[in-house]
Amino acid sequence: MQRETMPPKKTTDSLNTNQIAFGFVLCIYIFFGIYTHSIFQSTRPAYDFDLYERALSRALSSLDPYDIREIGPAFLYPPPSLFVIEALGIPLNATVQFYVAVFVNLVAMLVIIRQIHVRFGYSTRDVWFWFPLTFFFAPLLATLQVGQINLITELGIVLFFVAAIPWLAALGLTLAVITKVTPVAFLFYSVIGRDRKTIFYSLILIMVVMLAAGFRYGFSTYTTYIDVFANLLQTTGLTQNSQSFESKVWMTFRPDFSPAQFHTFFLLYMGILVLASGYFAARTKDRVPLFIVLGLVITVSPNVMWYHHYVFLLPPLLIWMAWQKLEQGLVLWIMSGLLMIQIDYYFLTTGFLIHLFVQLSILRVIYQQYSKLKELRSLTGLPAA
């Protein structure tokens, strides 16, 4: 009589083991997200939206909204951002207004997640783990706590990325630029794609909104803002709380050379990486990795940066996962990096390891672009570059 054999269980057992490990890491991630935010809350941070409303009130009264220049209590956004502040500034008591702002920001984040997974053809079930990764991300919780408008900026950036209609993409980029100047760099994404309509509509919309803000809040605000922005570019905060790259280098290694000079070379290095990514994007006809690189570079390049600004890493990292078809190794890398952001700020290097993760991620995306170009060239017998 032939002996019966049991069917192989290796695949199922391996799958169960991976699921258990994944769930365990996710639980650790959620724990540190909540714990880190509880420490942040204990510092009693100022509610920034109150500062924005103060600036709005002064602008509407024909006074200078930039009368305070000290980083922290100062209003440092461009004049057109006051349109967003005015739209969100519902005349309710402080508690109700806080929760309304939280609700609006959470809806914005939900829209961002949906737009990204739909853009790449995934269902909500496919990317279920994005929700705990996002909503237990300590910088996002800090953004909600202090009343920042970062998620409005992110919504505009993602709309620019996913929109198939040029004027709609331009509308998204305009929303991002008027709330935070640096997203204007995303025009390079359109340049590489030779998307002349999006570039044209974006420039027109930005100018129209700037003109409207001048009539609404006074054209003198632009003169003042140019001075504010120039001073901002010259600011170097070498402190534990500051999250700029030069600040983390100085806090970790205490070098002897000038922070301003270091930042200049750092920006040149970031620019070279963006150009390299743009070159590969043009050659491979795939601009998604260029968008990822731009998102990562724009996040970590400013000389003035705080912990809540790491929330800008979420869209490019989610897009990276989707672009690479949720490849397990990459998902683990990104989860590890996001976990590092949860832990490093208070418990390790106060931010240097976070920057290391972002820098390595940028290089990894560019290497993936190079590998794709090499693969394409191998089909035609041409050199990789």
Side-chain angles (χ1 to χ4, degrees), residues 5 26 80 112 133 155 169 205 218 220 223 237 246 260 296 309 361 369 383:
T5 58
L26 203 55
I112 288 169
L133 284 181
L155 181 62
L205 275 175
S220 62
T223 304
E246 64 265 32
L296 298 177
H309 288 138
S361 294
Q369 290 182 278

Side-chain angles (χ1 to χ4, degrees), residues 139 326 362:
L326 303 179
I362 293 169

Side-chain angles (χ1 to χ4, degrees), residues 166 169 189-200 287:
Y189 175 83
S190 295
V191 169
I192 292 298
R194 298 181 180 180
D195 188 357
R196 297 181 181 87
K197 286 186 178 181
T198 296
I199 296 171
F200 175 74
R287 291 186 297 156

Side-chain angles (χ1 to χ4, degrees), residues 76-78 150 153-154 157 160 173-189 206 225 229 232-233 263 267 274 294-305 309 312:
L76 301 174
Y77 291 104
N150 296 335
T153 306
E154 283 188 26
I157 292 171
F160 167 74
L173 185 62
T174 301
L175 177 61
V177 170
I178 68 170
T179 50
K180 194 173 182 69
V181 177
T182 50
V184 73
F186 280 106
L187 280 175
F188 183 60
Y189 175 83
I206 290 171
Y225 183 71
F229 192 70
L232 195 62
L233 293 177
H263 185 69
L267 290 180
V274 168
L294 280 168
L296 298 177
V297 166
I298 290 171
T299 300
V300 299
S301 293
N303 57 311
V304 176
M305 182 179 175
H309 288 138
F312 286 107

Side-chain angles (χ1 to χ4, degrees), residues 52-319:
Y52 306 158
E53 288 194 306
R54 175 188 178 276
L56 173 63
S57 177
R58 290 183 62 82
L60 292 174
S61 301
S62 300
L63 299 173
D64 181 13
Y66 302 105
D67 60 319
I68 300 175
R69 301 294 181 90
E70 180 186 354
I71 293 178
F75 174 71
L76 301 174
Y77 291 104
S81 67
L82 291 170
F83 281 128
V84 177
I85 307 303
E86 193 168 1
L88 295 175
I90 303 171
L92 300 170
N93 70 67
T95 302
V96 174
Q97 189 179 58
F98 171 80
Y99 285 108
V100 168
V102 168
F103 175 77
V104 170
N105 279 283
L106 290 178
V107 169
M109 195 68 239
L110 283 171
V111 172
I112 288 169
I113 293 173
R114 184 185 183 282
Q115 290 301 315
I116 293 174
H117 77 67
V118 169
R119 162 68 170 76
F120 289 93
Y122 291 107
S123 67
T124 303
R125 186 174 182 178
D126 294 328
V127 297
W128 66 268
F129 61 96
W130 286 8
F131 294 93
L133 284 181
T134 297
F135 293 109
F136 289 97
F137 189 46
L140 183 138
L141 298 176
T143 294
L144 299 177
Q145 178 72 36
V146 300
Q148 280 280 333
I149 57 173
N150 296 335
L151 295 181
I152 303 301
T153 306
E154 283 188 26
L155 181 62
I157 292 171
V158 171
L159 179 61
F160 167 74
F161 174 69
V162 303
I165 305 172
W167 70 262
L168 192 56
L171 184 64
L173 185 62
T174 301
L175 177 61
V177 170
I178 68 170
T179 50
K180 194 173 182 69
V181 177
T182 50
V184 73
F186 280 106
L187 280 175
F188 183 60
Y189 175 83
S190 295
V191 169
I192 292 298
R194 298 181 180 180
D195 188 357
R196 297 181 181 87
K197 286 186 178 181
T198 296
I199 296 171
F200 175 74
Y201 291 150
S202 295
L203 295 177
I204 293 297
L205 275 175
I206 290 171
M207 287 190 290
V208 168
V209 173
M210 289 180 64
L211 187 63
F215 284 113
R216 176 65 172 161
Y217 307 114
F219 287 95
S220 62
T221 57
Y222 287 106
T223 304
T224 309
Y225 183 71
I226 291 172
D227 185 48
V228 169
F229 192 70
N231 291 335
L232 195 62
L233 293 177
Q234 298 173 7
T235 300
T236 303
L238 305 182
T239 67
Q240 179 172 325
N241 287 335
S242 172
Q243 293 299 296
S244 66
F245 185 52
E246 64 265 32
S247 174
K248 296 304 98 181
V249 169
W250 256 256
M251 293 296 294
T252 305
F253 300 107
R254 307 287 181 180
D256 296 328
F257 47 87
S258 163
Q261 186 180 35
F262 174 82
H263 185 69
T264 299
F265 283 115
F266 176 61
L267 290 180
L268 288 173
Y269 169 64
M270 290 287 98
I272 290 170
L273 293 182
V274 168
L275 289 175
S277 180
Y279 168 79
F280 289 127
R283 289 292 185 176
T284 60
K285 308 299 181 184
D286 184 358
R287 291 186 297 156
V288 173
L290 172 59
F291 187 90
I292 297 166
V293 169
L294 280 168
L296 298 177
V297 166
I298 290 171
T299 300
V300 299
S301 293
N303 57 311
V304 176
M305 182 179 175
W306 307 108
Y307 186 63
H308 59 79
H309 288 138
Y310 288 125
V311 76
F312 286 107
L313 294 175
L314 286 175
L317 292 178
L318 296 181
I319 290 169

Side-chain angles (χ1 to χ4, degrees), residues 36-52:
T36 297
H37 184 61
S38 69
I39 298 175
F40 178 77
Q41 279 184 310
S42 68
T43 65
R44 299 185 179 279
Y47 189 59
D48 290 346
F49 199 79
D50 288 340
L51 307 177
Y52 306 158

